[in-house]
Amino acid sequence: MLRRTLAATLRRYELPSINRKSATAEFFVQPSRHLMNTSVKMNRAPDLTGSADARTAAAVHSPLIIQVALATPLTKLFDYYAPTATPEQPAPKLGARVRVPFGPRQMVGFVAGFGRSSNADIALKTALKVIDSKPLLPAELWDTLNFAARYYHHSLGEVLNTAVPTALRDGSESKARGVPMFRASAHAANAAVLRGPAQRALLALLTEREHSDSELNIALPGWRAVFLALKRKDLAEQWTAASFIPPGVALAGPQLNAEQAEAVRAIGAQTGVFAPFLLNGVTGSGKTEVYLHAAAKVLARGQTVLVLVPEIGLTPQTLRRFAQRLAVPQVVAHSQLSDTERAYGWQQARSGAARLVLGTRSAVFAPLPNLGLIILDEEHDGSYKQLDGFRYHARDLALKRAQTLKIAIVLGSATPSLEMLKAANENRITTLHLRARAAASALPSQAVLDIRGQSLDEGLATRSILAIRECLMSGGQALILRNRRGFAAQLECVSCGHVEHCPRCDRALTLHRAAGALRCHYCDLRQPLRMDCSQCASTELTALGVGTERVEIALARLFPEWPILRVDRDTVSTKGAMEAKLKTLENGKPCILVGTQMLAKGHDLPDIALVLVLGADDGLHAQDFRASERLAQLLLQVAGRAGRASRPGTVLIQTHQPEHPLLQAVIGGDYAQVVQLLMAERRATELPPFAYAALLRADAIKKDALDAYLQAARALFHQLNPDASSVQIFGPMPAGLAKRAGRHRAQLVLMCSQRAPLHQAIEPWIAALHAGKKPGNVHFSLDIDPYEFG
Ligand code: ADP
Ligand code: ZN
Ligand code: ZN
């Protein structure tokens, strides 16, 4: 009955079946024994000893055959003869990089096994060079990555490449060069007073903090000779930094409250076992303090710590707090680093020189030795899921890694994901609560603002405008959330009704007025703004919908005497730009902040007294199954930004559906109630976390080719899995964005109430799809545990 609800929902989107007879498995070669064997091999627990295997293999067959993981889409390993072992080049170890011939070119891959991976009777080539004498990655990380390749049914070679910085993928030794920095040595504090004034001056500078040579050139010309003199006395030293945060001075933090202290104790209490924790605490309840204390304990034991955050650019405060409070060398890892910086940081982590890595999604693969604790902040955040290529979820792999290592992992959030809350209900993860705001500020009062039948001024209701004015007049700062950038969502012709669409995507173009352009937010196409309709040449065009740019203009007109800051991807793109913008708020003077969900993330905005949410209804109507969860999280997160200091905050949500149960639950400020609603809905529709899903996404220039391919893929699934009745398959159906950058997109949805049967059914199927033909230049990809269906 319930299953029918989901089936009915999904079937609505199914494409009409095109002549099923011709669309059977003809595109696909039958899964050969060869492929089946490969995938079975891949499924075996990885052998981390390697060497024993290697010896046996070498003894029986000579020469040694190695199975190499190469960065190709194929989920199989490639067999080669190992180069003849010499003293300079010993037999390759499991996990070492090797250079091999591959077709007309050479590739670098990882030794992932020994002996033949297939019975194929083809002549093997010999690997050209063994690059590493030891495995490149720590054994536990190798283990986790092998698990990831099996779990996501993804090429092990590509998975390994994701974990290794670009600079090391081509097989080179490190090209990474650090930045030289100069600092006082540990002895400097006890040194007798120096006689030379230059030496005294330099030592004072270096004691205060470390400096780079360009800084010293300015501060103290001719400093280099002076530095050498200090160095001879062992008072100063040079070291190398790149993406380094220098070791901090371990500033003391606030005294922990009882709940925080209990959380820190619980996290540190268990050693040598996998200990997952969900730290559930409202924004401002002091979760970061718990992270800092838990990390300090682990560092004091001599172990290393991995900290994951959704977006570093938006949370410079978090970075600073870790740097100031933990006096160990730390390294940051995120996508804004150059290849060199990243490779350098990676090596600092691998060598153990850096004791803490703080990074975004891909930092889950940081090669820290002796890892003792993983912290993952804002666990519910969608940015932990990689949306293309190797579509892993950093939280899930972090859990797997902690399990492999038998260590504690702390997942923090004010609005935990339904997945983790379900795990908590089933006692698979221990919940730690922080119920009160740490700095004794009250939670904001929240209300919906009914805008039915009201005329809006550029999206703003009269009562909203009054509320903003009142907030500013009483000295507060106001935050206006509008989760859509640009000026207007579309440009419509009044005469003929034509809406300017992206020629390459199935979406209207967004008007960016200041830039004088129409832009596609899906493929980044940019067109100059024309003043006439492209269909009927009428010059009567109207801009429909309200984006942040339009709200900003309206606010400037309504509140000319107050400063307005806009924060969205159009105004804040560069490193540090967000921080610079928000710095101006720190003086606490009245102003208006308007922007997208970027504002809801991470930042303390202590003087915000009013939060106004525009366009919340968009989230209530969105089709994706996670849309309402995301909306509730966004609203609660942004509400958490308000009134964090002494000022009590107010949150107003403009809506046409003031009675909507989800909005009612949100304004109650009680996430538990929101969760109850969402859980009931997901259970009734049997959607994650009450079922496991996988998507086969495909795209092609020609729609017919795409549909035929997916029909055939579906037929093949049934053919390969005649007994997998517990796995339901829906589609083909158009993707949420049915056309993007000139390619049509459609998908098959696979659902199962259990994980194992789903994965078993996918395994032979995906291997056959990789081996099969893809007529019409169809591309496909598999998404396990998709974040969204679309
Ligand atoms: P969260 O990470 O949950 O948002 P934070 O750790 O950033 O919370 O804490 C919010 C604010 O409260 C910070 O300014 C922090 O310094 C302060 N704070 C945290 N714990 C305490 C405490 N025990 N006593 C006083 N202030 C605290
Ligand atoms: Zn027209
Ligand atoms: Zn486009």
Side-chain angles (χ1 to χ4, degrees):
M1 159 72 202
L2 292 176
R3 173 60 78 184
R4 238 181 292 137
T5 326
L6 167 68
T9 322
L10 288 174
R11 288 231 171 79
R12 264 195 312 185
Y13 303 112
E14 286 195 22
L15 298 167
S17 161
I18 51 142
N19 186 359
R20 272 189 199 254
K21 200 145 190 201
S22 74
T24 43
E26 72 199 45
F27 294 151
F28 310 104
V29 295
Q30 294 302 309
S32 64
R33 277 185 62 78
H34 164 98
L35 273 163
M36 298 295 274
N37 285 344
T38 308
S39 52
V40 170
K41 268 246 155 64
M42 289 278 295
N43 217 5
R44 229 178 38 185
D47 175 8
L48 291 172
T49 54
S51 51
D53 219 0
R55 270 197 303 276
T56 342
V60 179
H61 322 274
S62 187
L64 173 65
I65 294 172
I66 50 176
Q67 297 164 11
V68 180
L70 292 173
T72 75
L74 301 181
T75 52
K76 65 168 200 158
L77 303 177
F78 297 83
D79 297 350
Y80 290 89
Y81 291 121
T84 316
T86 61
E88 297 80 57
Q89 184 158 270
K93 298 239 171 49
L94 193 74
R97 286 173 302 164
V98 285
R99 187 181 300 281
V100 297
F102 191 78
R105 52 198 181 113
Q106 296 183 2
M107 283 183 88
V108 172
F110 288 78
V111 177
F114 298 93
R116 282 214 164 198
S117 62
S118 71
N119 333 337
D121 201 16
I122 42 164
L124 297 184
K125 291 185 180 164
T126 303
L128 303 169
K129 187 176 182 333
V130 177
I131 296 164
D132 306 304
S133 58
K134 292 187 302 212
L136 187 69
L137 303 170
E140 51 84 17
L141 181 55
W142 175 260
D143 226 356
T144 301
L145 291 163
N146 272 269
F147 165 83
R150 292 194 304 276
Y151 182 76
Y152 290 103
H153 303 273
H154 202 85
S155 148
L156 177 61
E158 287 191 351
V159 170
L160 291 165
N161 257 6
T162 308
V164 170
T166 327
L168 279 96
R169 281 180 208 160
D170 64 0
S172 54
E173 266 309 305
S174 157
K175 282 187 273 182
R177 277 185 31 245
V179 180
M181 297 293 280
F182 303 87
R183 66 184 176 194
S185 76
H187 307 289
N190 314 325
V193 178
L194 291 163
R195 252 176 284 148
Q199 289 189 19
R200 273 210 302 275
L202 181 59
L203 192 59
L205 275 179
L206 299 184
T207 305
E208 183 189 296
R209 64 174 177 85
E210 61 175 350
H211 284 68
S212 68
D213 51 4
S214 54
E215 285 176 321
L216 290 171
N217 286 340
I218 297 164
L220 207 70
W223 63 276
R224 211 171 273 275
V226 186
F227 172 77
L228 289 175
L230 289 177
K231 193 168 168 227
R232 274 194 298 274
K233 295 179 188 163
D234 211 8
L235 296 176
E237 61 197 16
Q238 176 179 344
W239 70 304
T240 312
S243 45
F244 252 112
I245 308 168
V249 284
L251 293 180
Q255 180 80 33
L256 295 183
N257 64 34
E259 281 185 323
Q260 286 173 316
E262 170 51 25
V264 172
R265 188 204 61 74
I267 295 162
Q270 285 169 310
T271 51
V273 289
F274 172 49
F277 294 96
L278 180 62
L279 182 62
N280 188 344
V282 296
T283 30
S285 61
K287 293 185 294 297
T288 310
E289 282 303 318
V290 172
Y291 304 152
L292 289 165
H293 282 258
K297 269 193 184 179
V298 169
L299 292 169
R301 289 204 299 259
Q303 292 181 293
T304 57
V305 175
L306 175 58
V307 183
L308 299 173
V309 294
E311 267 169 278
I312 277 185
L314 304 186
T315 52
Q317 292 164 334
T318 310
L319 260 175
R320 244 192 336 260
R321 270 167 89 182
F322 274 86
Q324 287 171 347
R325 297 280 295 280
L326 302 171
V328 293
Q330 305 175 20
V331 50
V332 287
H334 55 83
S335 57
Q336 288 169 353
L337 298 178
S338 69
D339 284 352
T340 315
E341 284 176 313
R342 203 186 311 218
Y344 180 77
W346 190 86
Q347 273 162 340
Q348 294 299 308
R350 187 175 70 133
S351 71
R355 303 281 311 287
L356 183 145
V357 171
L358 197 157
T360 49
R361 185 174 56 228
S362 67
V364 70
F365 305 121
L368 283 163
N370 198 13
L371 189 55
L373 174 68
I374 301 177
I375 292 162
L376 190 140
D377 193 25
E378 308 290 0
E379 160 287 307
H380 62 278
D381 198 289
S383 67
Y384 286 119
K385 170 80 175 172
Q386 170 80 34
L387 296 178
D388 51 21
F390 168 36
R391 295 171 160 81
Y392 64 98
H393 200 303
R395 177 197 62 215
D396 297 346
L397 290 184
L399 282 163
K400 181 68 195 174
R401 200 170 171 195
Q403 188 179 35
T404 308
L405 280 161
K406 299 194 172 69
I407 59 169
I409 174 169
V410 183
L411 309 177
S413 179
T415 53
S417 63
L418 299 189
E419 278 77 3
M420 290 303 113
L421 289 170
K422 183 160 179 280
N425 287 341
E426 292 164 1
N427 289 322
R428 288 182 282 125
I429 186 166
T430 309
T431 310
L432 303 168
H433 287 283
L434 300 182
R435 290 183 177 84
R437 282 193 154 186
S441 59
L443 282 164
S445 69
Q446 309 196 46
V448 287
L449 207 156
D450 186 356
I451 53 168
R452 284 175 297 187
Q454 304 220 356
S455 65
L456 304 179
D457 185 352
E458 308 288 35
L460 295 161
T462 313
R463 278 169 58 204
S464 300
I465 296 169
L466 287 174
I468 298 171
R469 183 169 305 280
E470 204 172 293
C471 164
L472 295 167
M473 299 288 277
S474 63
Q477 299 176 339
L479 185 160
I480 322 286
L481 178 74
R482 173 61 183 133
N483 205 10
R484 187 160 295 179
R485 67 199 167 86
F487 181 83
Q490 51 188 34
L491 194 59
E492 193 182 275
C493 170
V494 175
S495 309
C496 77
H498 174 73
V499 173
E500 292 295 337
H501 270 72
C502 174
R504 291 146 39 87
C505 302
D506 181 30
R507 284 289 186 276
L509 292 166
T510 302
L511 172 61
H512 287 253
R513 203 172 87 168
L518 289 174
R519 289 188 188 162
C520 175
H521 286 187
Y522 299 88
C523 73
D524 211 32
L525 176 110
R526 287 154 193 235
Q527 282 184 358
L529 180 59
R530 292 166 41 150
M531 292 304 151
D532 54 347
C533 171
S534 64
Q535 296 297 303
C536 73
S538 158
T539 51
E540 250 190 286
L541 305 176
T542 56
L544 298 179
V546 177
T548 45
E549 188 187 345
R550 193 167 194 170
V551 179
E552 182 192 16
I553 294 169
L555 290 167
R557 166 170 52 77
L558 293 163
F559 303 102
E561 60 272 50
W562 282 289
I564 297 169
L565 299 172
R566 189 173 113 217
V567 173
D568 57 32
R569 272 207 286 130
D570 298 318
T571 60
V572 175
S573 50
T574 56
K575 228 185 207 173
M578 173 94 168
E579 192 173 13
K581 268 225 159 168
L582 296 179
K583 259 224 125 47
T584 57
L585 292 179
E586 280 174 14
N587 62 18
K589 296 225 178 78
C591 67
I592 305 175
L593 191 59
V594 52
T596 58
Q597 45 105 23
M598 280 175 103
L599 285 173
K601 294 199 176 178
H603 257 277
D604 279 347
L605 304 167
D607 295 303
I608 299 284
L610 171 71
V611 173
L612 174 68
V613 181
L614 310 180
D617 295 353
D618 293 358
L620 295 175
H621 300 306
Q623 294 220 330
D624 191 71
F625 77 100
R626 271 187 227 274
S628 38
E629 178 185 355
R630 273 203 305 263
L631 173 68
Q633 287 165 343
L634 174 63
L635 293 177
L636 287 165
Q637 294 277 342
V638 79
R641 305 288 123 220
R644 293 187 75 165
S646 47
R647 228 174 256 286
T650 306
V651 179
L652 286 178
I653 302 169
Q654 284 191 191
T655 177
H656 287 98
Q657 286 173 271
E659 266 96 54
H660 196 289
L662 188 75
L663 289 184
Q664 285 296 326
V666 166
I667 62 168
D670 184 2
Y671 187 59
Q673 206 191 328
V674 173
V675 166
Q676 237 177 23
L677 281 172
L678 295 172
M679 284 283 199
E681 189 182 294
R682 298 276 183 89
R683 186 180 286 124
T685 48
E686 293 199 25
L687 281 165
F690 296 95
Y692 298 92
L695 280 191
L696 185 79
R697 303 169 188 275
D699 58 76
I701 306 269
K702 290 221 169 64
K703 193 165 176 312
D704 287 353
L706 176 63
D707 295 348
Y709 182 81
L710 285 176
Q711 293 287 4
R714 181 178 169 145
L716 181 73
F717 181 87
H718 290 304
Q719 193 183 328
L720 291 174
N721 297 290
D723 305 323
S725 56
S726 65
V727 179
Q728 294 214 315
I729 180 162
F730 304 95
M733 63 186 79
L737 184 58
K739 191 177 167 202
R740 178 177 190 158
R743 297 182 70 90
H744 292 276
R745 306 163 79 236
Q747 59 199 20
L748 294 174
V749 180
L750 287 78
M751 303 283 300
C752 187
S753 59
Q754 290 161 296
R755 219 190 274 275
L758 179 65
H759 282 255
Q760 272 158 22
I762 286 174
E763 192 170 305
W765 184 51
I766 204 72
L769 290 178
H770 276 300
K773 288 194 217 115
K774 289 175 269 301
N777 191 17
V778 173
H779 298 167
F780 77 86
S781 62
L782 181 69
D783 193 348
I784 299 290
D785 305 330
Y787 186 68
E788 50 191 20
F789 293 174

